[in-house]
Amino acid sequence: MRRELTVAGLAHTLVTADRPGPVVLIRTPYGRHHHLPEADAWARRGFHCAVGDVRGRHGSPGAFHPYRHEAEDGAAVVDHLVGLGYDRVITAGASYAAHCAVVAAAARPAHVAGVLAAVPALGLGETAREPGGAARLACRVGWWGEHVSPARHHDLRHTPVVDAVDGWDELWSAPRRTAGLWDALPGLTMPLLAVGGLRDPFAADTEELARCWGGPTRLVLGPWGHELDAPAPGAALAGRRVGALYVAWARALENLGGDKAFLFADGWRRHTPAGRRVPLRVVRGEFRADPDDPFRSAAPGARVVDPRCALLTADLPPGELRGRATVTLDAVADVPDADWVVRLSHDGVHEAHAVHRVAHEPGVPRTVTLDLPPVGLAVTGPLRLEVAGHHWPRHARNPHTGEDPVRATALRPSRREVRAATADLPWHPRGADAVPATALPEEIAS
């Protein structure tokens, strides 16, 4: 049964199950009507589900300020549900809604029994910049222009970048880590299910969320992008949708202990740490990084060849890479500020990339360390690593002057050299730690 609720002035739809059970709370800026089939599915499985529009979006009045009010509003909704007699609340959501789920749990830990966070976009700074400080561009223009303020123009070469959309000053001024959020995570003791995609831009934050969480965690990193198992539903889960993992976890909440992690490489694997340091062969060390003719970005899974970069290779025995890789460069730049890009590919296909902003003493060698997001792939031949100075339009172009790339107007080219390099790779024997796709829900629930 569905009924409409107004909670703290915000619009919600409550879908009730035909028997007592926990309530799943989803708060979203994307329209609660899109989640009603999901709410019905929860109810058929014995879970009540409340879906709400965040402040200033769709049915909820007020002004939408991304990430500003979600903790206080989420706390008010949890309090209201508890007042209605739902004493066990599971906060859940994907992307922005995952942030809503996490901060509501942090605000009301006594009443939240578990948190489900899928492809989490955890804050202004977390979405605006890479862990290495480089500014994301194309995806932020699209999201901000669609949901917050219409874009003034769509020319991504326009400088300064901050003029593209009204209200971007708050976005680009935000710290990389949301104040208070990450400090609160170790104190949260309810179970967490963190589900990410190895081709999702927030995969590293998904893994970090699980690492920092204080309660029992289940981390699942699948072969997906930000849309999870679309456009091939169930392809990685023996025909079942990712919701089968959600339900198995939710039903087992009271009995969960310890931490478990699963990653898709050449099939599902238990995600365990591994490290293998290998020297990288410098095939081509010198290159020119010109923001007027930038090295172009590519989506994970795309075929990549671009000669405007340094080229490194590594030979590995047959096996699997599962987890994060770190690349260390002995590098030189002739400018005071530079972005360094490492793009990892195998058989000509882009698997992962990292972008790190670095201050330089021009002409003086220094060590540059880049942490790639988690990967999962079977290795059957050499790895190729491209090193470049830009990754545009996915990221704003570093102007090489020391100015913030989103506020700069003057651009200058740079000469670069990679003199030597090593990589710490998460190499595993092929097929080790395998988990059948049919058994994954049960593994998560145990």
Side-chain angles (χ1 to χ4, degrees), residues 177-242:
R177 291 297 195 204
T178 299
L181 172 63
W182 293 88
D183 291 338
L185 299 182
L188 299 180
T189 59
M190 71 286 289
L192 168 73
L193 174 60
V195 179
L198 294 169
R199 293 182 173 177
D200 175 51
F202 308 128
D205 277 351
T206 307
E207 190 176 54
E208 186 73 0
L209 176 67
R211 189 190 69 80
C212 293
W213 198 266
T217 63
R218 299 294 184 268
L219 170 67
V220 180
L221 294 172
W224 308 310
H226 201 62
E227 300 301 319
L228 288 174
D229 62 345
L237 292 168
R240 286 179 290 186
R241 298 299 303 267
V242 70

Side-chain angles (χ1 to χ4, degrees), residues 116-297:
L116 193 169
V119 288
L122 290 172
L124 282 175
E126 288 84 349
T127 56
R129 297 186 185 272
E130 294 284 353
R136 294 182 174 122
L137 177 60
C139 67
R140 291 298 87 198
V141 169
W143 189 89
W144 204 272
E146 180 179 358
H147 301 294
V148 185
S149 177
R152 294 175 182 168
H153 60 79
H154 296 279
D155 179 5
L156 297 183
R157 287 185 178 271
H158 178 86
T159 58
V161 167
V162 73
D163 286 347
V165 181
D166 286 330
W168 266 23
D169 276 331
E170 182 180 0
L171 175 70
W172 299 119
S173 299
R176 165 66 186 131
R177 291 297 195 204
T178 299
L181 172 63
W182 293 88
D183 291 338
L185 299 182
L188 299 180
T189 59
M190 71 286 289
L192 168 73
L193 174 60
V195 179
L198 294 169
R199 293 182 173 177
D200 175 51
F202 308 128
D205 277 351
T206 307
E207 190 176 54
E208 186 73 0
L209 176 67
R211 189 190 69 80
C212 293
W213 198 266
T217 63
R218 299 294 184 268
L219 170 67
V220 180
L221 294 172
W224 308 310
H226 201 62
E227 300 301 319
L228 288 174
D229 62 345
L237 292 168
R240 286 179 290 186
R241 298 299 303 267
V242 70
L245 307 183
Y246 300 172
V247 173
W249 170 83
R251 285 176 171 163
L253 276 182
E254 293 182 354
N255 301 312
L256 291 177
D259 300 330
K260 292 185 177 181
F262 307 90
L263 183 148
F264 192 94
D266 190 19
W268 287 101
R269 309 287 187 250
R270 291 179 181 83
H271 186 21
T272 55
R276 187 185 184 106
R277 177 163 294 180
V278 298
L280 299 175
R281 184 168 58 254
V282 180
V283 177
R284 182 174 61 245
E286 296 184 4
F287 66 98
R288 186 173 189 262
D290 186 352
D292 278 327
D293 184 24
F295 183 84
R296 294 190 67 91
S297 56

Side-chain angles (χ1 to χ4, degrees), residues 291-367:
D292 278 327
D293 184 24
F295 183 84
R296 294 190 67 91
S297 56
R303 300 199 69 83
V304 290
V305 176
D306 192 325
R308 295 170 299 170
C309 60
L311 176 61
L312 314 176
T313 60
D315 294 317
L316 287 174
E320 295 171 354
L321 295 186
R322 291 190 252 131
R324 294 198 195 195
T326 297
V327 176
T328 303
L329 308 176
D330 176 5
V332 182
D334 64 352
V335 290
D337 192 82
D339 280 0
W340 289 89
V341 179
V342 166
R343 191 160 70 185
L344 170 68
S345 61
H346 182 247
D347 287 339
V349 175
H350 175 199
E351 297 292 345
H353 64 267
V355 190
H356 192 65
R357 188 179 178 199
V358 178
H360 283 265
E361 184 177 348
V364 177
R366 64 157 294 167
T367 299

